[in-house]
Amino acid sequence: MSGIQYTPPPSLLDYFISDKFINLVMGPVGSTKTTAMILKIAHEAARVAPCRDGIRRSRAIWIRQSREQLRDTSIPDFLRWYPDGVAGTFEKTNYKYTLKFDDVECEVLFRGLDDPGDVRRLLSLQATFGIADEFRELNPEVFMALQGRLGRYPSKADNGVGCVDDNGVQIDKFWGASNPPDYDTWWEEYLQNPPANAAVFFQPSGVSPEADWLQYLKDGYYENLMEGKPQNWIDVYVHGRFGASLSGKPVFPAFNRHIHVAKHTLIPNRASTNPLIIGHDFGLTPACTISQIDPMGRLVTYAELTSDGMGELRFLREKLKPLLATSRFAGMPVLIVGDPAGQQRAQTDEKSVFDIIKSEGFRVVAASTNSISGRISAVDSWLTRSVDGKPAHIVDPSCTTLIKGFGGGYRYKIRTNGEMDDKPEKNSYSHLLDGHQYACLQANGNVLFGAKKTPAQAIQKVRHVYI
């Protein structure tokens, strides 16, 4: 072990050192995810508080869909870093490796879930760590049950303090690595909306400038891999994106989470004369996004609001106004852009939605069109452009519904005969995405209130959408 020197690439560093209970990384094939997962064992085992005899004991359970996969892939990968007889001892009949270095002794138990007996034994073990190779193949019930077996070894009887580090902090955890699962699966939902005790990490595309592991691959590895492959395969194994939905086709395939979602909270530009653009969808489920054209000419989306069973007046008073009154947005000029149909007066009181909005002190304008093709084109024009080498559209990471809608929740439905609808499906994402389309239309026509137009030469088409 003294001869191993490992520095994770930047795209895996946060995953490697994370202290969340659950840590999952998703990325392209060949991105050294497995290496980080393997060496994280030694990293974590060395932190476990020593037992009464001075040995830092721990137990890790490495799971895979089948014993065959363990034998053919997981165990050979593991032994390349921890050779049998050098870093420890491998018991082939028991699929058990005892890792030993310095004052550390960690049992690694390899368990294939194709054997019902292995599953039963798995759920009765006392362990420190859980590890999932290609976690997208793991049954969610097993994933959840395994978490209950962690933190049970070593016990207080072994070291007087239990499963903690030298500072007395609980150290049990679960980690895994995988290529992306398909949309509309349990794993996609979990990765998009992880619980508070979980950290999820997404690596960039293998052909993007941010791919920081290429030095470990042969030249042109991904370009060669892409030859003759269908787009969905390329999306998953090269770009590290979720696979095709079984329910429909994403409306915005140009969206790339790694490119279009900011790494940190975005701060509105108060020095700019450009107002906040509220792209607003009306009805009984009002929704909106809050965006702004920044000085570079990029469309920056800071926040989102959704609702259910709420009228327009209530939405404005209970949702939008309180948000705009926060320190993040207070005092900034605002322009609401909505469906032109919102100008039609109701037969009951002859008030239109626009009248309600104006009565609450907002300036509101109708979008230039309600054509679905025009609205989608407006969004695409922002997603496929760059400004000075940066994406022309950037989204705050807090906009989880917008991000998931972009990623495939907003989609064209596949009919029972296999044909695809020509209009996006009406679902839980469509209201917010419809509202955002109005914002993109307005931004394409440049902002009101005397804002400067974006110089045409500052915006260039991206040659390849999938970067």
Side-chain angles (χ1 to χ4, degrees):
M1 282 300 297
S2 60
I4 294 180
Q5 293 183 345
Y6 173 69
T7 301
S11 63
L12 288 170
L13 179 60
D14 288 342
Y15 163 74
F16 191 81
I17 64 175
S18 173
D19 268 332
K20 287 282 190 176
F21 176 57
I22 297 170
N23 302 277
L24 302 173
V25 63
M26 184 184 94
V29 64
S31 61
T32 73
K33 302 182 299 298
T34 302
T35 297
M37 183 172 64
I38 291 170
L39 292 176
K40 190 172 172 66
I41 297 173
H43 172 72
E44 298 293 349
R47 301 172 60 207
V48 177
C51 293
R52 300 183 191 280
D53 60 2
I55 301 299
R56 298 178 184 271
R57 289 188 174 85
S58 58
R59 181 178 294 134
I61 306 173
W62 180 300
I63 53 177
R64 193 72 197 267
Q65 191 72 8
S66 70
R67 291 175 67 87
E68 183 180 46
Q69 290 171 330
L70 288 172
R71 184 191 67 224
D72 295 343
T73 60
S74 298
I75 292 175
D77 286 340
F78 182 92
L79 292 176
R80 270 196 289 271
W81 285 102
Y82 306 125
D84 185 15
V86 178
T89 305
F90 182 49
E91 301 176 28
K92 293 182 180 179
T93 55
N94 296 323
Y95 274 41
K96 172 182 173 181
Y97 189 99
T98 304
L99 176 65
K100 291 184 178 182
F101 63 96
D102 300 332
D103 60 349
V104 174
E105 183 177 304
C106 178
E107 297 178 3
V108 182
L109 309 178
F110 296 91
R111 294 292 179 262
L113 301 180
D114 57 337
D115 183 346
D118 268 349
V119 176
R120 287 193 296 271
R121 288 189 291 273
L122 171 73
L123 301 181
S124 63
L125 288 169
Q126 311 295 319
T128 320
F129 311 120
I131 305 163
D133 190 3
E134 283 299 326
F135 60 75
R136 67 177 181 175
E137 301 171 352
L138 182 61
N139 185 303
E141 294 295 329
V142 176
F143 170 63
M144 290 183 280
L146 178 58
Q147 294 172 36
R149 311 313 304 172
L150 307 182
R152 298 188 174 211
Y153 181 84
S155 67
K156 289 186 178 181
D158 297 312
N159 60 9
V161 291
C163 189
V164 298
D165 63 16
D166 288 334
N167 298 315
V169 178
Q170 199 73 19
I171 197 172
D172 54 304
K173 52 173 62 81
F174 182 103
W175 65 87
S178 182
N179 297 126
D182 287 339
Y183 275 111
D184 298 318
T185 60
W186 185 92
W187 277 109
E188 183 260 341
E189 174 64 28
Y190 187 91
L191 294 169
Q192 294 268 35
N193 299 287
N197 68 342
V200 175
F201 306 90
F202 299 92
Q203 287 186 284
S205 165
V207 292
S208 71
E210 293 80 14
D212 48 28
W213 59 86
L214 298 182
Q215 66 270 28
Y216 305 114
L217 301 172
K218 66 180 182 180
D219 292 344
Y221 175 82
Y222 289 110
E223 289 76 7
N224 181 65
L225 205 60
M226 293 166 67
E227 290 292 331
K229 305 294 195 308
Q231 188 60 55
N232 183 61
W233 192 97
I234 294 172
D235 284 345
V236 172
Y237 294 102
V238 176
H239 300 308
R241 299 176 179 177
F242 293 110
S245 167
L246 300 178
S247 302
K249 178 183 177 182
V251 175
F252 299 112
F255 175 76
N256 185 317
R257 171 187 285 269
H258 185 74
I259 294 173
H260 295 110
V261 179
K263 302 297 186 293
H264 306 288
T265 300
L266 299 170
I267 307 300
N269 191 306
R270 293 183 173 275
S272 173
T273 57
N274 293 350
L276 297 174
I277 304 174
I278 313 294
H280 192 7
D281 184 55
F282 310 134
L284 292 178
T285 52
C288 70
T289 58
I290 301 176
S291 308
Q292 184 186 36
I293 298 289
D294 74 0
M296 292 177 61
R298 300 183 304 169
L299 178 61
V300 183
T301 300
Y302 302 113
E304 63 179 31
L305 287 174
T306 58
S307 67
D308 186 19
M310 180 179 286
E312 179 63 25
L313 186 61
R314 186 179 164 199
F315 178 80
L316 294 173
R317 290 178 176 178
E318 297 184 13
K319 293 264 191 175
L320 184 56
K321 279 189 169 183
L323 178 61
L324 294 176
T326 61
S327 58
R328 192 179 184 195
F329 302 114
M332 297 187 69
V334 172
L335 174 67
I336 293 180
V337 185
D339 184 347
Q343 300 174 101
Q344 298 175 0
R345 299 183 183 279
Q347 294 182 356
T348 52
D349 58 3
E350 296 188 351
K351 281 187 176 182
S352 68
V353 176
F354 276 39
D355 290 333
I356 295 173
I357 295 173
K358 291 175 182 177
S359 70
E360 292 299 304
F362 290 104
R363 177 168 293 196
V364 58
V365 297
S368 58
T369 181
N370 195 28
S371 161
I372 187 63
S373 60
R375 287 156 40 196
I376 290 173
S377 294
V379 180
D380 272 332
S381 71
W382 284 104
L383 291 175
T384 57
R385 279 185 281 179
S386 66
V387 179
D388 293 337
K390 298 181 179 180
H393 189 13
I394 191 79
V395 179
D396 191 279
S398 67
C399 299
T400 54
T401 302
L402 181 64
I403 292 167
K404 191 170 182 182
F406 269 148
Y410 187 63
R411 62 203 177 198
Y412 296 106
K413 187 176 182 180
I414 304 298
R415 302 172 189 153
T416 54
N417 62 2
E419 296 180 357
M420 187 172 62
D421 281 349
D422 56 1
K423 292 183 179 180
E425 178 185 8
K426 289 294 183 182
N427 58 23
S428 59
Y429 303 101
S430 58
H431 303 291
L432 186 67
L433 270 294
D434 286 349
H436 193 62
Q437 290 162 17
Y438 300 132
C440 290
L441 280 167
Q442 182 67 23
N444 263 353
N446 297 313
V447 189
L448 301 179
F449 306 123
K452 293 181 179 180
K453 289 190 175 183
T454 302
Q457 62 270 26
I459 301 181
Q460 303 90 25
K461 278 283 183 180
V462 178
R463 290 186 179 182
H464 300 287
V465 169
Y466 297 98
I467 58 175

